[in-house]
Amino acid sequence: MAERSFAKEVQKLRQGAGETFTGEGILGITKALLENGVGYVGGYQGSPISHLMDVLADAQDILGELGVHFEASASEATATAMLAASVHYPIRGAVTYKSVVGTNVASDALSNLASGGVTGGALIIVGEDYGEGSSIMQERTYAFAMKSQVWMMDPRPNLPSITKAVGDGFDLSEATNTPVMLQVGIRSCHVHGHFTARDNKRPEMTVSDALENPRRDLNRIVLPPATYLHEAEKLTKRKPAAEAFIVEREINERFGTPGSKVGIILQGGTYNTVVRALNRLGLADIYGETEIDMLCLNCVYPLVEDQILDFCAGKDAVLIVEEGHPNYIEQQIGHMLYQKGRTVKLEGKGKLPMGGEYTGQVMVDGIAAFLESHAPALLPVAKVATNEEPVAIPDLSKTLPPRPPGFCTGCPERPIFAATKLVEEEMGEHHISSDIGCHLFSIMPPFDLGATTMGYGLGPASAAAFHNENKKGRRSISFVGDGGFWHNGLTSSVGNAVFNKSDNVIVIVDNYYSAATGGQDILSSRADNRSKQTQNSIVDAVKGMGVKWVRQIDRTYDVTRMRDTLKEALTTEEEGPKVIVASSECMLNKQRRVKPELAKAQKEGKRVERPRFGVDEDVCTGDHACMRLSGCPSLSVKDTGDPLRDDPVAAIDQTCVGCGNCGEVADAAVLCPSFYEARVVSNPTEAEKRRSARRNRIISWLQSRRDAKRVAFA
């Protein structure tokens, strides 16, 4: 069950030649794949490209009609290895994953794929995740393109350019026998626009055809001595062919006035921001027409030396707009100019920040600084003459409270970490290794748990060095999610722990989905999936790997049981890794599934019951321990108006989803009995209506009796 359904949008993929296709960038990419005769598609989800996998999953019927095979890959390495189908066969294949964590995982397969090269077009659609909206380490995929000698497209963020780049990428791959990366950032993935559609094209050879007609070219198999020939082929044949293709196809675009004394060389993905900055500086109109000479690199690797030198000829200064660090493009262009003895002044990092996202204001400031140094006459006279100070933007970090990432309301992972805190209160602090996924939010308040995170599925592996020689000594605790477990953790973490006789504790957080990437199904998902095999047991998998001590908890909201099981794992004398599989459905996905069902039932007049929790103000002492052990967003404080009570009492707001975690935490922590559970009933039965009326009459009589006594004693 994905975060959202594209069932309606994917019907646009059936549009034919001459029709106007409108939609989001990810939908446009899918349409372009079908128009260019793709034979198979795979990939692994991850922002900002997750929705592309969701679109492909919802479009399986359309893909099937065209003979296109689709797979949701187990990892990015699996996806990249899938492109092996294009090594010997003239089949176009495409895979997609998040960068740079995805390219890290895929790098081994990428190296082998790039070494032997391909016959059919091989396209890797990489969702570049860079900037303050990113959830990962700040690195660039560009290094992988350079290292493995694969070509990288970076089209302008509009649908005609993005969809054209898909076709250009396939053609470039086939013309050079080299895989091609298509880099799309969040602006490209979610930009809306339109382009003129073409007819979908059935692949000339399907994967079924290939199976019936097997081929093998020894020269493309990565094994000495062919590997030495592959390196030579990359340098003497493939790269020159790529450079010639880029020039002949006019992949890179020239804008502005060629005769200007200053110019800008920019990545295609930054084009919109650059043009907007020029517009704000009065140097471009709203359509992007400008007098500044610009070379827009829709293919950022390889760079065509003659094209770069031609652009720089006759210019006094050139600004390189390259987001991220290191400045690979700037270094290459600087080397080209130096070798040819050119004296043009090259600017880039320095005028623009070394790192960080190139937002609108950053781009305005950087381009203005460049022009002030090398072409002040181009800037508005008022700005230069009066040295006008820019409008000060207030530092909102000093006025707004921080918003660290946290668990959703009702998240079943919250009680796991509440139980961990309770264990540490009794047994002392432990070294805790975290992992990629929602459970990583446990490092933030109110839990403050976790010391490291080394990669997806590597939480237990990052605790591998911790081995206590004292058999009665303290053990480490590590967490891994179900998504990370199937992605990499089964072998790299659990298998590694078994093989090395680890004595530490592993908690597998099973929320039924790859929840952090948008709720996609995985091997252990409990839902029925029409095209995938789900409902595979994590417990069986770890036992098959050799784990002897395994405990399954099917309801993580039982904080007492969670606490006691974790304590048992930390104290048992049994050797080997101790594995706890803590299972409860992701509350976001559960609400997406249940709410429409309840709304439909209520509309049909059926009886519907919803749980709600509350706090008895007369019982609550106001110590707020429930919040310190839960942190649920629906828990707040409320002033009772009683002048004799110093502290506000706990309160539960309307966002409560009735998970019961607050009450469970209160019970496990031996706190107060102030929490109560109520049931909100829609379309009650006649008997329930009579009981409710009778209760209300009794309560009203008791209240009136109490009020009468108050008046009598007043």
Side-chain angles (χ1 to χ4, degrees):
M1 177 180 180
E3 186 173 67
R4 60 159 293 196
S5 170
F6 289 87
K8 293 182 179 178
E9 288 95 328
V10 296
Q11 297 308 315
K12 296 180 181 179
L13 299 176
R14 298 184 185 278
Q15 288 183 319
E19 295 185 73
T20 300
F21 185 99
T22 60
E24 226 178 350
I26 50 175
L27 200 64
I29 291 173
T30 311
K31 173 61 174 165
L33 291 173
L34 300 182
E35 290 180 353
N36 284 280
V38 70
Y40 62 96
V41 189
Y44 194 85
Q45 60 272 357
S47 175
I49 209 72
S50 293
H51 286 174
L52 182 51
M53 289 299 294
D54 298 338
V55 166
L56 290 165
D58 286 337
Q60 286 186 75
D61 290 341
I62 300 173
L63 297 177
E65 292 168 9
L66 293 168
V68 180
H69 175 64
F70 167 69
E71 280 199 7
S73 307
S75 71
E76 296 84 358
T78 306
T80 308
M82 186 182 183
L83 291 171
S86 295
V87 171
H88 299 298
Y89 304 95
I91 310 173
R92 290 186 165 184
V95 297
T96 175
Y97 45 74
K98 172 194 185 88
S99 170
V100 66
V101 289
T103 39
N104 287 340
V105 173
S107 58
D108 192 19
L110 182 64
S111 294
N112 282 277
L113 182 71
S115 182
V118 295
T119 301
L123 191 66
I124 302 169
I125 304 166
V126 177
E128 187 77 346
D129 195 10
Y130 188 82
E132 291 187 7
S134 170
S135 61
I136 61 169
M137 72 291 288
Q138 295 297 274
E139 295 182 0
R140 301 177 61 194
T141 307
Y142 199 95
F144 289 87
M146 297 174 67
K147 172 187 73 68
S148 296
Q149 288 293 288
V150 301
W151 319 137
M152 176 175 277
M153 310 285 288
D154 187 8
R156 290 190 290 137
N158 62 69
L159 259 64
S161 295
I162 296 167
T163 52
K164 178 180 181 296
V166 172
D168 289 338
F170 277 129
D171 290 344
L172 174 59
S173 177
E174 290 168 349
T176 62
N177 303 118
T178 304
V180 172
M181 286 182 169
L182 174 63
Q183 176 177 281
V184 284
I186 191 167
R187 294 180 180 87
S188 295
C189 289
H190 299 302
V191 67
H192 282 258
H194 61 86
F195 65 96
T196 302
R198 295 183 292 137
D199 289 334
N200 294 333
K201 183 180 177 183
R202 186 179 179 86
E204 294 180 6
M205 173 181 277
T206 67
V207 289
S208 297
D209 296 333
L211 283 171
E212 298 299 329
N213 300 278
R215 301 180 185 180
R216 189 173 78 102
D217 181 356
L218 191 61
N219 291 325
R220 295 217 178 277
I221 300 175
V222 184
L223 185 72
T227 47
Y228 315 126
L229 300 176
H230 294 165
E231 182 186 30
E233 183 182 325
K234 285 180 179 180
L235 300 175
T236 61
K237 294 182 180 179
R238 299 188 203 172
K239 190 175 181 183
E243 293 170 350
F245 181 93
I246 291 165
V247 173
E248 291 167 9
R249 187 66 70 90
E250 297 182 349
I251 301 296
N252 299 327
E253 299 173 282
R254 193 90 172 251
F255 299 98
T257 304
S260 64
K261 290 297 183 180
V262 294
I264 300 174
I265 300 177
L266 61 141
Q267 292 173 266
T270 66
Y271 175 82
N272 290 1
T273 317
V274 168
V275 167
R276 176 59 180 148
L278 291 173
N279 175 254
R280 290 176 62 187
L281 290 168
L283 299 174
D285 62 20
I286 59 173
Y287 302 105
E289 296 296 329
T290 178
E291 294 183 1
I292 304 291
D293 194 7
M294 296 195 301
L295 177 61
C296 180
L297 301 175
N298 293 312
C299 182
V300 290
Y301 190 79
L303 300 177
V304 182
E305 182 174 303
D306 289 344
Q307 194 173 56
I308 299 295
L309 295 175
D310 177 67
F311 178 81
C312 293
K315 288 185 171 53
D316 296 329
V318 171
L319 176 68
I320 309 297
V321 179
E322 177 181 11
E323 192 172 53
H325 183 81
N327 53 344
Y328 298 116
I329 296 175
E330 185 180 343
Q331 290 177 30
Q332 291 176 79
I333 293 176
H335 181 67
M336 293 174 187
L337 295 173
Y338 175 78
Q339 278 197 320
K340 297 299 181 181
R342 300 294 178 88
T343 58
V344 58
K345 176 66 176 177
L346 197 66
E347 300 273 20
K349 305 296 185 184
K351 297 298 183 185
L352 288 160
M354 292 294 292
E357 185 178 7
Y358 283 1
T359 61
Q361 190 59 47
V362 166
M363 201 73 83
V364 168
D365 294 341
I367 294 176
F370 168 72
L371 294 175
E372 284 175 357
S373 297
H374 302 287
L378 291 177
L379 289 169
V381 176
K383 181 173 178 61
V384 178
T386 63
N387 256 338
E388 167 185 321
E389 289 293 325
V391 177
I393 299 176
D395 185 355
L396 297 180
S397 66
K398 297 187 181 347
T399 56
L400 294 176
R403 293 184 60 193
F407 297 104
C408 301
T409 300
C411 176
E413 299 185 13
R414 184 178 283 109
I416 297 173
F417 299 106
T420 307
K421 292 295 285 186
L422 291 171
V423 169
E424 288 202 326
E425 284 182 11
E426 181 180 346
M427 301 181 63
E429 291 188 3
H430 289 68
H431 176 84
I432 296 178
S433 296
S434 302
D435 206 323
I436 303 300
C438 298
H439 42 280
L440 186 56
F441 297 152
S442 62
I443 67 171
M444 308 302 293
F447 303 110
D448 297 306
L449 296 169
T452 56
T453 173
M454 289 289 108
Y456 199 29
L458 297 177
S462 61
F466 295 101
H467 179 75
N468 201 326
E469 297 297 333
N470 179 5
K471 294 297 182 182
K472 300 289 185 181
R474 194 159 295 186
R475 294 164 179 161
S476 75
I477 305 171
S478 56
F479 292 93
V480 60
D482 48 353
F485 171 81
W486 293 115
H487 179 277
N488 191 29
L490 178 60
T491 53
S492 298
S493 285
V494 177
N496 181 74
V498 171
F499 183 70
N500 290 289
K501 296 185 177 180
S502 168
D503 195 41
N504 296 323
V505 177
I506 298 171
V507 181
I508 300 174
V509 182
D510 171 26
N511 57 27
Y512 302 6
Y513 309 94
S514 181
T517 60
Q520 292 83 8
D521 282 336
I522 53 177
L523 275 161
S524 52
S525 294
R526 310 298 172 91
D528 292 320
N529 188 306
R530 66 188 179 95
S531 62
K532 304 290 182 286
Q533 180 179 313
T534 53
Q535 304 179 42
N536 296 281
S537 170
I538 294 176
V539 171
D540 289 350
V542 297
K543 285 182 177 179
M545 192 59 74
V547 178
K548 306 300 182 186
W549 195 101
V550 185
R551 299 290 184 270
Q552 169 79 50
I553 296 176
D554 285 318
R555 183 176 176 273
T556 61
Y557 298 105
D558 188 342
V559 180
T560 303
R561 186 183 176 201
M562 190 71 225
R563 177 199 62 190
D564 294 344
T565 305
L566 188 56
K567 185 178 177 182
E568 180 190 356
L570 291 167
T571 57
T572 182
E573 294 184 0
E574 186 159 344
E575 296 182 350
K578 271 60 76 171
V579 175
I580 302 171
V581 181
S583 304
S584 276
E585 184 177 9
C586 165
M587 185 55 73
L588 268 183
N589 270 35
K590 182 178 180 180
Q591 292 300 311
R592 292 188 188 111
R593 177 173 57 80
V594 170
K595 279 187 175 180
E597 294 173 358
L598 294 180
K600 181 182 178 184
Q602 186 174 341
K603 188 176 181 181
E604 293 173 350
K606 297 177 182 177
R607 183 184 182 278
V608 174
E609 187 176 298
R610 295 182 178 88
R612 284 298 302 271
F613 284 78
V615 176
D616 190 328
E617 297 178 7
D618 294 329
V619 178
C620 179
T621 62
D623 66 353
H624 307 148
C626 53
M627 298 176 201
R628 293 194 295 274
L629 276 170
S630 168
C632 181
S634 67
L635 272 175
S636 185
V637 292
K638 177 181 178 182
D639 189 355
T640 63
D642 188 342
L644 299 179
R645 303 189 68 166
D646 295 332
D647 297 319
V649 298
I652 300 177
D653 66 23
Q654 74 281 357
T655 63
C656 173
V657 294
C659 71
N661 182 42
C662 49
E664 296 278 1
V665 171
D667 177 66
V670 197
L671 298 177
C672 63
S674 59
F675 290 95
Y676 64 85
E677 180 180 358
R679 294 278 166 169
V680 180
V681 179
S682 300
N683 302 322
T685 63
E686 291 301 321
E688 286 175 322
K689 290 178 182 178
R690 288 193 296 270
R691 285 197 298 270
S692 177
R694 187 162 56 248
R695 280 195 299 266
N696 288 336
R697 286 196 298 270
I698 294 172
I699 292 171
S700 297
W701 177 75
L702 291 172
Q703 286 175 335
S704 61
R705 186 181 177 195
R706 181 194 60 187
D707 293 341
K709 286 184 177 181
R710 284 178 175 173
V711 172
F713 285 107

